[in-house]
Amino acid sequence: MRQRLINKTVQPQETLLTAGRMAARNAVVTESVSLPSLLFDSTLSKEDWIEGLKHHSKTLTNLLLNDQIKDFDTYLESEFGSGVSEFKKGITEIDYKPVLQDLLQTAILIEHSTIPPYLTALYSIKDGTNALASQIIRSVAVEEMLHLIMVCNVLNAIDIQPSVNKQENYPTYPMKLPMNVDFYVGLETFSSNSIATFIAIESPSQPLVKAPKYDHEADTSALYSQRTAVLENNFWTLENMKGFIMENVHTIGEYYDVLFFYIVVFQIIAYYKEHGKLPKTFEELNTGGIFTGDSKKQIRPEQYYGSGGKLHSVEALAGVIAVFQEIKGQGEGADDSIFDVDPSQFEEGVELAHYFRFKEVFHEHFYLGGNYEPFMDENGMMPVTTPPTGKDLPVDWNAAYPMKPNPKMADYQENEALHTQAVEFNKTYRRLLDAIQSAVEGNHRELEKSIMYMYALKEQAVNLMKQPLDAQTNAGPTFEYINL
């Protein structure tokens, strides 16, 4: 299982508190809104519902995504020990599938939205140049594809058919990511501007991170080379749940935290409906409930041919935990570190989280081997915004094709050859998504085709980027939906 993911919502002096102690201390602040009240009390005000959601989502997520199972059991016992006989149970009438379908499909769109921008920047780098930067961007793009497939595993585990290849699944650039962000993501050539956008995409929710220390005895060379109708007065509606996200979520990691809490809430409700009582332990909550999907549809590690990260199948809540740990760890770091796993866990390999990989390219330096004492507090923590100061990572910002930002096939209407090439690129991308769609529907061998399509995509994209579109810019791939 992934290393602990510490959600930094506390002050620096609190960083040594365990998630269990945080849960106990925070409960004092919001003791009037218990978890049973949050779930079942139809007289709860909207304000109290929001405050309760903030508290319990943070507490529950910290415990489970940090593998604090015993503390989670204690938390459940303290919250559910007296039962819910005094509460109305309107939430049990909710059809959870449309809600989770909407929210998890949004997660797929988030992951999908990052892939074309990363691939565009990668393909725009001229052959023979920026080898290290190319490797870093490629590794992140591969892991985003892994994240997309694992979210599909979560959907299949709760018996909801994932969708990745329909027209409504396509991002349209330039765009804001499907959550509360204040910047646009687009298709751009490799540049300091595009890398800065990637850094913003992957921005961690925590403000501090452990300052990295170079371990001369460890082999670190690889780091250098590589949504439903409900009863009245029930706030558990898709509108309210998404509204909470829009008001309180600002990073991809925070989105996954709240989404995870929603999944656990519906698993608690499913357990209550089946057993007539509330769960008191993780073991009771883990299996059954909402996890009714066909296990044969799960994409498993041996069926995924990506080179980065670890793929997790999902048949119970434990699998969701592993998936969300993997996604969050690769994106923003694990266990307070800049790494996607604890650097001592070499059986899974050691790599920086996406945010920090992109910062290395932007600042043209590696993290390892750098001196971070000027940025460190008394606990050895430094701001996540600290630039890398290790050895040089050479970047030639001029060695990229001057692609027109956010090109469209309509831009090539006057040039038949370019238009034909753009059409063929989009057909290849459609076939790639079709292969993934078929795989997550149970035809796992279709995933093998994705490698062939990825190679073809690069060749077709580069051929477009080599051709002038006007006096200042060249053509480029458009990643638009197309009929085959």
Side-chain angles (χ1 to χ4, degrees), residues 147-350:
H147 298 173
L148 185 152
I149 291 173
M150 287 196 294
V151 176
C152 290
N153 274 349
V154 176
L155 277 160
N156 271 325
I158 55 182
D159 197 25
I160 300 173
Q161 178 64 61
S163 180
V164 300
N165 64 340
K166 295 181 180 179
Q167 187 168 3
E168 58 266 29
N169 303 136
Y170 272 63
T172 303
Y173 303 98
M175 65 174 291
K176 289 187 176 183
L177 291 181
M179 56 184 182
N180 191 21
V181 299
D182 58 1
F183 61 91
Y184 282 87
V185 177
L187 304 177
E188 299 182 19
T189 191
F190 174 73
S191 66
S192 59
N193 182 69
S194 59
I195 297 298
T197 299
F198 299 166
I199 291 171
I201 290 172
E202 303 287 353
S203 181
S205 54
Q206 69 266 32
L208 298 175
V209 67
K210 291 177 184 175
K213 296 180 181 179
Y214 184 73
D215 185 351
H216 292 278
E217 298 180 358
D219 179 13
T220 59
S221 59
L223 284 172
Y224 290 128
S225 63
Q226 51 167 328
R227 233 166 249 200
T228 180
V230 294
L231 300 181
E232 186 178 0
N233 297 330
N234 187 352
F235 297 120
W236 291 93
T237 66
L238 178 62
E239 180 182 6
N240 284 334
M241 293 166 72
K242 294 178 73 172
F244 178 85
I245 289 173
M246 291 306 298
E247 291 295 325
N248 297 279
V249 168
H250 305 280
T251 70
I252 294 175
E254 289 174 347
Y255 182 86
Y256 277 104
D257 283 344
V258 176
L259 175 54
F260 177 76
F261 177 69
Y262 290 160
I263 291 173
V264 176
V265 163
F266 287 118
Q267 181 67 350
I268 290 172
I269 300 309
Y271 182 92
Y272 178 83
K273 293 179 71 173
E274 181 178 352
H275 299 279
K277 62 179 182 179
L278 291 164
K280 302 293 180 60
T281 66
F282 176 79
E283 184 178 0
E284 291 177 332
L285 194 62
N286 185 31
T287 59
I290 69 174
F291 299 105
T292 61
D294 184 354
S295 62
K296 295 180 181 179
K297 290 186 177 182
Q298 291 292 312
I299 304 296
R300 303 185 184 277
E302 63 271 19
Q303 297 157 341
Y304 179 70
Y305 301 91
S307 58
K310 183 177 181 180
L311 188 145
H312 299 273
S313 57
V314 181
E315 297 180 40
L317 185 57
V320 181
I321 292 173
V323 165
F324 282 33
Q325 287 177 330
E326 185 82 21
I327 293 173
K328 283 168 56 62
Q330 287 183 346
E332 60 181 45
D335 198 22
D336 284 340
S337 82
I338 67 174
F339 299 97
D340 63 359
V341 296
D342 186 309
S344 67
Q345 305 299 309
F346 286 101
E347 72 276 6
E348 290 192 34
V350 181

Side-chain angles (χ1 to χ4, degrees), residues 44-92:
L44 199 66
S45 71
K46 182 69 170 290
E47 180 180 5
D48 284 345
W49 182 81
I50 291 173
E51 290 305 310
L53 183 51
K54 287 180 181 179
H55 167 66
H56 289 288
S57 64
K58 185 186 302 180
T59 300
L60 186 150
T61 300
N62 272 325
L63 292 173
L64 288 182
L65 293 188
N66 287 288
D67 298 330
Q68 303 292 316
I69 303 303
K70 290 183 178 180
D71 287 337
F72 175 73
D73 289 350
T74 300
Y75 164 72
L76 281 188
E77 176 66 32
S78 68
E79 293 292 331
F80 291 158
S82 61
V84 295
S85 58
E86 67 272 31
F87 299 117
K88 295 182 180 179
K89 304 174 182 62
I91 191 175
T92 61

Side-chain angles (χ1 to χ4, degrees), residues 447-462:
L447 203 57
E448 298 176 12
K449 298 179 180 179
S450 62
I451 300 175
M452 173 184 67
Y453 294 136
M454 288 298 291
Y455 279 114
L457 279 178
K458 179 179 179 180
E459 180 179 359
Q460 292 169 335
V462 172

